[in-house]
Amino acid sequence: MWTNSRFSKPFTVKVSIPKSFVTPGNKNYIFMEADMTIDGFPGGTVLPNSLEKFNSAISIDWIRY
């Protein structure tokens, strides 16, 4: 299905999530690592048991192909 779509080629996406998700010590913190950045922004690997919470709260700001 994805092979013939726009997503079969490289793309960049900007997403937003609640700040509490990336704040170590906050009860909503969902990452395995602390003090990790991706492109200068807080980030890391989402805990497997938090993936559904992450996916439901994410908002896509834009996609560039």
Side-chain angles (χ1 to χ4, degrees), residues 6-36:
R6 289 180 153 184
F7 296 107
S8 67
K9 300 175 180 88
F11 63 94
T12 302
V13 61
K14 180 184 177 194
V15 298
S16 297
I17 60 172
K19 189 172 185 171
S20 62
F21 285 12
V22 295
T23 305
N26 188 292
K27 66 180 178 113
N28 290 324
Y29 187 72
I30 60 171
F31 291 96
M32 292 178 155
E33 311 89 355
D35 301 322
M36 183 176 183

Side-chain angles (χ1 to χ4, degrees), residues 22 31 33 35-46:
V22 295
F31 291 96
E33 311 89 355
D35 301 322
M36 183 176 183
T37 60
I38 298 172
D39 295 333
F41 296 96
T45 305
V46 177

